[in-house]
Amino acid sequence: MLSYTIRRLLLMIPTLVGILIINFAILRLQSASLTQSMQQQVGNQEGASASHQVRSQASYSAIENHLARFVRTGNNLPALINVRGWLDKDDVVALLRQAASPTSKPSVRSQAQSTLWLLGHFGVEPLEEVIADDSLVDLHGQASVALTLDAYVPLNIEDLKYMSEQRQDDIRVRNGELRKYRFPAGRDDPDYAEKRAKLLALCERDKKEFAHTSAAAWGALLRETGICDFFYKLFSGNLYSETRGDYVFHLIGDRWYVTFWLNLFSIIIAWCGSLLIGIRSARTNGSLEERVATSSLFILWSVPSFFLGTLMLHHLCTNGADGRAWFPNRGLESDDSLWLTTPAFLWDLFYHACLPMTVLCYASFTSLSRYVRGNLLEQLQSDYVRSARAKGCNEDQVTYRHALPNSMITMITLGSGLLADLFGSSVIVETIFSIPGLGLLLFDAAKNQDGPLIMGSTVISVLLLLVGILIADLLYAVVDPRIRSKYA
Amino acid sequence: MRESASPGQQAFERFWRRAAVRGAVIVLAALLLVGIYAPFLANEIAFLWVDRQGAHWPLFADLFNRTSYPRPHDLLFNLLSLLVPPLALVWWLLRRRLGIGRRLALCLGVVLIAWLLAMVPLIPTKSGWSAVWAHRPLSPFTSIEAHAGTAGSDVITAIFAPIPHRCDATYPGASLLPPGSINKATGTHFWLGTDDIGRDVLASLLFGVRISLSIGFVATGLSLLIGIAVGGASGYFGGWIDVLLQRLVEVMMCFPTFIIILSVVAMIGPDIFVIMLVIGLTSWAGTARLVRGEFLHQGVCDYVAAAEAIGVARWRIIVRHILPNTMAPIIITATFGIAGAVLSESGLSFLGLGDPTTASWGVLLEQGRENIRYPWLIYAPGIAIFVLVTCLNLIGNGLRDAFDPKST
């Protein structure tokens, strides 16, 4: 049994890793659209001052805001492999030429520009060399912008927590200086010589911070990548939701149990109910009752859950002509639930959860009871049941003692498959009935395109799901002696 | 049952014998026709327009107009609306003469010719052609502006579609009207009411058939392709390929599919093709598992050994020998898969993550949820989804019972 459990646990690792990687890919999809939005914003400004490449201070502070957001979400890093440590002056010059040349395509230009701006501290040294080189004077404007953006350190909440105040102030001062010293117009800038000298002096002063050895480059190869950053933030619980202004796992910690209990009770109800229906219809197979039950369950199965939920909301939860609704239309508890006695509170909870649980589990009745019926019918025709009957067992004993335990095995496997569907439909049900659970959180996150929150709640849902599947697998071994003996 | 009939024919007879299944097939075919001929049923543009210059067919001229139908799937259905009659005719004429393969080839030929003919009025006017071009007969595909260039046109008669509203047109002052109310601008009826920005619900329902069906078919087609490839490779080759692919399938089986679809669509943006693609890419695990089982079962059969013995290529054994024998369960899962894809899309749209520019059923139902006191916005799309899903489920059930008579 232990080896079976360990085996099941090991099998979950690839599932979890697969889902994490897909989540990371989705996070990256969003970051691509962020780059576009940044480019669009800058592009509009560019259109305003068409002829020369001078942008207003406001547009650069917008870029800085974007950068800050990028750094907070880890999207400024390359996805899988970081080779920025090996960038030298020639590479940077090539990028600068791409970004500056009027003949190249706009997409190539913006791509090169955004690459330059997102180089981080790896870009500082080569860019400094470019600015120091008098023969590349036509690229100085571009290079100064890229340099000031790469050396710019956005302070995020994490940093503020762990950084000394002295250091924070230093960084703030330097960020301000960097803003002052950039000269986007290159040599046309009135204070070109002075700004250039000051910028170079500043780089010289903070050389230690921006320089990197080849060891650092090798270290950054895998460590300073988007995927590493994502996993680090995920496992250390530092995923931060921009739209809600809170840590993702705080938000989830407040709500996961709502979804968990709702789904658990729905599964139990669906299970017990469909077992009863299945047994009943297997024993009355062929009768009018069985046929009516089967076809009405089939029709119920085809009703989409969101349709049924909305219908319930319309007919049962909105105030009618007499001014009173049958059921509450939002939440899981009344406003005054804190002052209720325990039985009254439980009743209140049940009253609120009644409709949502119905919507969650009605479709499972059909599929599960159909399997129970089919399986039980098959078992009832098998040889061991015939010998039980020959021994003199009555029909109840035959059904409950002999045939039913054998058909329970399929029920358990089906139960675990049901969980995945339930998690999907809990998004819909929680949205319809405004239940503050994981599903509603995920839905809000999806609406607001809040990447980290989507990731966090997906991962937690998957974890809950995997735990459910593990429990089902273990139950499977408990019910089926063949599995136990195989792994004994 | 005839004993001489092939197993396939016997299964078909078992399938067709049940009244519920027959009804479902007929309703589904009717829905398909409604989807194909939606612009002929609900359109602002006249079907026939007769003035002093002669008869014009502005609706036909509009069929391939990218501004009226910006979505590619609409153009495809419009093309189908022109091709279905000749195809049906050819199919019917050749019903006894030729085998299915030749009939298919001929129909494809007809499609090609009809498509080329439809393209003729779209050829840009070349200078050398202009004299011929100016005297060409009035074609149903040229727009009314081209005809009405010379004189003011006095309308003699005009025939409109039975529902004279477009699905994506908003009618001013007509928001949230109940069913049967009158459009004050034109004096026509909104038979199923209007939504909150004043679109005709009935017209949206008719065009919604196109979206639901195309999402169902494309997403399921994609998931079948992946599922058959993965399951087939896994079942036929076995060994480490099987182990690897089975792990992949297990990962996909535990996927909370709807949640993944939700987050991907939220991130990439609500586009109908993204939705199709994501549904297809996440729902193939069941098919793969099924196909693997079938391949394991068929792979040890004598006919496969015989084919291998005479040196048939591996891919040929897979595609021509084993795959046809596994078609029945694949078709059954595909039917349920279409229903599932339709439900996924409606669920997404219901949550407000669908394509807001297309009039899909889920988008209508979402408006019903937001305007909870207007029941026609809930019932109309909800019943439409219910009917489509019920038909597909009934057909799937019927197929399962027909191909596998021992499981009832």
Side-chain angles (χ1 to χ4, degrees):
Chain A
M1 196 66 193
L2 183 69
S3 68
Y4 177 75
T5 315
I6 291 172
R7 200 184 145 90
R8 288 281 121 194
L9 278 173
L10 285 179
L11 275 180
M12 282 180 179
I13 292 173
T15 314
L16 205 58
V17 170
I19 284 164
L20 287 179
I21 287 174
I22 287 178
N23 273 346
F24 173 70
I26 295 171
L27 202 71
R28 280 283 149 166
L29 290 178
Q30 186 212 24
S31 84
S33 65
L34 256 181
T35 322
Q36 281 160 10
S37 81
M38 181 164 96
Q39 294 296 336
Q40 270 169 10
Q41 204 168 349
V42 177
N44 292 341
Q45 299 275 355
E46 200 169 10
S49 59
S51 58
H52 45 92
Q53 295 205 320
V54 185
R55 296 194 185 88
S56 64
Q57 201 62 39
S59 87
Y60 282 116
S61 67
I63 297 169
E64 274 166 10
N65 285 337
H66 271 295
L67 272 179
R69 219 164 128 196
F70 264 52
V71 171
R72 237 187 340 261
T73 49
N75 284 333
N76 58 331
L77 303 168
L80 287 175
I81 292 171
N82 189 350
V83 290
R84 289 171 180 176
W86 288 277
L87 273 180
D88 58 11
K89 192 178 148 197
D90 296 340
D91 301 325
V92 172
V93 168
L95 275 173
L96 281 168
R97 290 219 185 282
Q98 260 183 19
S101 112
T103 50
S104 56
K105 271 189 263 170
S107 63
V108 174
R109 232 162 51 202
S110 71
Q111 184 62 43
Q113 203 166 41
S114 117
T115 315
L116 275 170
W117 290 348
L118 292 176
L119 282 178
H121 59 279
F122 295 111
V124 174
E125 240 178 36
L127 282 166
E128 190 195 336
E129 283 172 34
V130 172
I131 293 179
D133 191 341
D134 284 325
S135 62
L136 295 168
V137 77
D138 54 322
L139 296 175
H140 280 184
Q142 287 264 345
S144 79
V145 171
L147 174 60
T148 51
L149 288 173
D150 285 344
Y152 181 86
V153 180
L155 291 169
N156 63 36
I157 304 162
E158 282 309 292
D159 298 337
L160 292 179
K161 235 193 288 177
Y162 300 113
M163 229 177 241
S164 69
E165 295 211 354
Q166 176 65 37
R167 176 104 179 94
Q168 283 177 34
D169 286 341
D170 282 353
I171 288 178
R172 284 208 185 93
V173 169
R174 194 172 69 208
N175 284 346
E177 283 176 346
L178 286 168
R179 276 198 193 125
K180 258 190 289 175
Y181 296 153
R182 64 180 149 229
F183 42 98
R187 215 166 26 178
D188 301 340
D189 198 282
D191 307 324
Y192 167 69
E194 187 197 349
K195 280 184 174 175
R196 182 182 161 204
K198 285 215 168 135
L199 197 58
L200 289 174
L202 191 137
C203 288
E204 193 60 33
R205 191 190 79 200
D206 290 341
K207 200 172 182 181
K208 231 188 258 169
E209 269 184 58
F210 299 131
H212 54 271
T213 57
S214 73
W218 279 106
L221 182 71
L222 292 175
R223 205 185 38 161
E224 285 184 32
T225 52
I227 196 161
C228 192
D229 185 74
F230 169 65
F231 282 138
Y232 171 73
K233 278 194 180 134
L234 187 69
F235 289 123
S236 62
N238 280 334
L239 277 179
Y240 186 79
S241 159
E242 298 275 332
T243 49
R244 299 238 174 186
D246 199 355
Y247 287 100
V248 167
F249 289 109
H250 284 174
L251 292 167
I252 292 170
D254 290 344
R255 308 153 201 251
W256 68 272
Y257 54 87
V258 174
T259 308
F260 176 76
W261 287 115
L262 265 184
N263 281 331
L264 189 69
F265 278 109
S266 306
I267 284 246
I268 291 172
I269 292 172
W271 238 63
C272 299
S274 51
L275 204 59
L276 291 178
I277 298 172
I279 293 171
R280 177 82 195 159
S281 52
R283 295 185 73 178
T284 58
N285 188 28
S287 69
L288 182 70
E289 178 198 338
E290 186 266 336
R291 274 184 294 175
V292 169
T294 308
S295 27
S296 52
L297 275 175
F298 179 81
I299 289 173
L300 201 63
W301 182 50
S302 302
V303 179
S305 63
F306 45 87
F307 179 41
L308 190 73
T310 322
L311 276 185
M312 283 177 167
L313 204 62
H314 176 72
H315 288 293
L316 301 178
C317 304
T318 39
N319 298 335
D322 54 348
R324 199 180 177 288
W326 288 58
F327 285 93
N329 63 354
R330 55 183 300 110
L332 269 189
E333 44 196 54
S334 309
D335 298 335
D336 57 350
S337 62
L338 270 180
W339 288 271
L340 292 176
T341 56
T342 309
F345 176 71
L346 285 179
W347 170 250
D348 185 58
L349 211 58
F350 173 74
Y351 182 54
H352 279 80
C354 199
L355 293 187
M357 287 209 296
T358 315
V359 177
L360 271 177
C361 64
Y362 77 95
S364 323
F365 276 135
T366 316
S367 50
L368 280 184
S369 68
R370 186 197 287 157
Y371 278 106
V372 175
R373 174 172 161 267
N375 209 295
L376 205 56
L377 280 177
E378 204 175 292
Q379 302 286 349
L380 282 175
Q381 283 162 3
S382 57
D383 291 342
Y384 72 92
V385 168
R386 196 171 48 191
S387 52
R389 283 205 184 104
K391 263 192 330 191
C393 293
N394 63 25
E395 209 47 34
D396 276 353
Q397 277 175 327
V398 166
T399 314
Y400 294 109
R401 295 279 302 276
H402 294 263
L404 194 60
N406 276 314
S407 46
M408 287 294 280
I409 296 168
T410 13
M411 277 290 281
I412 287 167
T413 24
L414 285 172
S416 69
L418 208 67
L419 262 176
D421 290 346
L422 268 187
F423 267 94
S425 48
S426 68
V427 178
I428 287 173
V429 169
E430 285 175 16
T431 312
I432 295 176
F433 294 102
S434 315
I435 297 167
L438 265 186
L440 192 61
L441 189 71
L442 183 65
F443 167 67
D444 280 345
K447 275 231 140 156
N448 300 327
Q449 297 218 329
D450 186 343
L453 192 52
I454 295 183
M455 299 306 102
S457 37
T458 312
V459 168
I460 294 297
S461 311
V462 170
L463 274 182
L464 287 179
L465 186 65
L466 287 180
V467 169
I469 291 172
L470 180 71
I471 293 172
D473 279 341
L474 294 184
L475 276 178
Y476 195 59
V478 169
V479 177
D480 195 345
R482 282 170 295 185
I483 300 224
R484 247 177 308 164
S485 62
K486 199 170 155 194
Y487 290 98
Chain B
M1 194 172 296
R2 289 174 291 144
E3 280 307 311
S4 59
S6 72
Q9 281 169 335
Q10 285 181 12
F12 181 76
E13 274 171 24
R14 277 198 297 273
F15 171 73
W16 198 244
R17 212 166 42 197
R18 290 170 56 174
V21 173
R22 272 204 307 271
V25 171
I26 290 167
V27 172
L28 193 67
L31 274 178
L32 191 62
L33 281 179
V34 164
I36 290 175
Y37 287 100
F40 294 83
L41 294 172
N43 214 328
E44 275 179 337
I45 296 170
F47 180 72
L48 174 66
W49 178 279
V50 186
D51 57 18
R52 279 207 202 125
Q53 284 184 304
H56 310 287
W57 307 83
L59 198 152
F60 282 96
D62 195 51
L63 277 185
F64 298 102
N65 183 351
R66 288 307 294 267
T67 49
S68 306
Y69 301 100
R71 304 254 150 212
H73 77 271
D74 268 331
L75 294 180
L76 178 76
F77 273 98
N78 288 348
L79 187 64
L80 274 181
S81 71
L82 298 180
L83 294 186
V84 163
L87 282 186
L89 189 69
V90 170
W91 194 265
W92 185 75
L93 284 178
L94 299 175
R95 68 196 181 283
R96 295 209 185 282
R97 308 248 170 83
L98 297 173
I100 283 191
R102 296 229 175 131
R103 250 150 80 190
L104 262 180
L106 239 152
C107 281
L108 279 179
V110 172
V111 168
L112 205 66
I113 291 167
W115 190 66
L116 288 176
L117 282 178
M119 288 294 113
V120 166
L122 303 179
I123 296 171
T125 322
K126 291 272 164 63
S127 55
W129 278 68
S130 56
V132 186
W133 190 251
H135 293 96
R136 72 196 185 281
L138 286 182
S139 146
F141 293 103
T142 43
S143 69
I144 193 155
E145 289 85 14
H147 295 305
T150 48
S153 45
D154 305 290
V155 185
I156 296 167
T157 180
I159 300 177
F160 283 90
I163 303 155
H165 300 122
R166 282 186 65 83
C167 68
D168 48 358
T170 55
Y171 295 94
S175 89
L176 292 171
L177 290 180
S181 45
I182 290 173
N183 183 356
K184 292 207 179 63
T186 58
T188 48
H189 287 271
F190 292 115
W191 292 116
L192 283 182
T194 54
D195 66 3
D196 55 354
I197 55 172
R199 291 182 293 197
D200 188 359
V201 172
L202 184 54
S204 302
L205 273 190
L206 294 186
F207 277 87
V209 178
R210 293 179 157 197
I211 298 168
S212 290
L213 284 181
S214 49
I215 283 195
F217 281 107
V218 174
T220 311
L222 189 63
S223 82
L224 276 192
L225 269 184
I226 303 175
I228 290 174
V230 171
S234 173
Y236 185 77
F237 294 112
W240 62 270
I241 296 179
D242 184 35
V243 172
L244 260 183
L245 290 178
Q246 274 318 101
R247 287 293 86 74
L248 189 66
V249 170
E250 255 173 39
V251 170
M252 292 304 292
M253 286 293 260
C254 306
F255 249 53
T257 318
F258 189 75
I259 291 180
I260 294 288
I261 296 174
L262 190 85
S263 33
V264 172
V265 171
M267 284 299 183
I268 304 186
D271 186 273
I272 191 169
F273 292 98
V274 173
I275 295 175
M276 281 179 194
L277 202 72
V278 175
I279 294 177
L281 286 178
T282 48
S283 57
W284 51 265
T287 321
R289 182 165 274 199
L290 192 94
V291 173
R292 173 177 176 268
E294 283 294 311
F295 264 66
L296 283 181
H297 179 67
Q298 301 283 341
V300 294
C301 286
D302 289 342
Y303 72 91
V304 176
E308 272 169 358
I310 57 170
V312 181
R314 265 186 177 171
W315 66 268
R316 207 180 157 79
I317 294 178
I318 294 179
V319 175
R320 293 297 298 269
H321 295 257
I322 302 182
L323 204 56
N325 281 305
T326 60
M327 263 346 256
I330 291 176
I331 291 172
I332 293 165
T333 38
T335 324
F336 290 118
I338 295 172
V342 169
L343 279 179
S344 292
E345 188 274 333
S346 326
L348 271 184
S349 308
F350 175 75
L351 289 177
L353 292 167
D355 194 338
T357 58
T358 49
S360 93
W361 292 342
V363 172
L364 276 179
L365 200 61
E366 187 220 352
Q367 294 185 348
R369 176 171 64 95
E370 280 173 0
N371 310 293
I372 195 72
R373 294 189 176 277
Y374 304 96
W376 60 92
L377 284 177
I378 306 170
Y379 276 103
I383 289 174
I385 299 171
F386 169 66
V387 167
L388 179 57
V389 171
T390 311
C391 285
L392 287 167
N393 283 342
L394 271 174
I395 293 172
N397 254 354
L399 283 172
R400 182 160 56 196
D401 294 349
F403 279 111
D404 191 9
K406 52 180 194 297
S407 82
T408 29

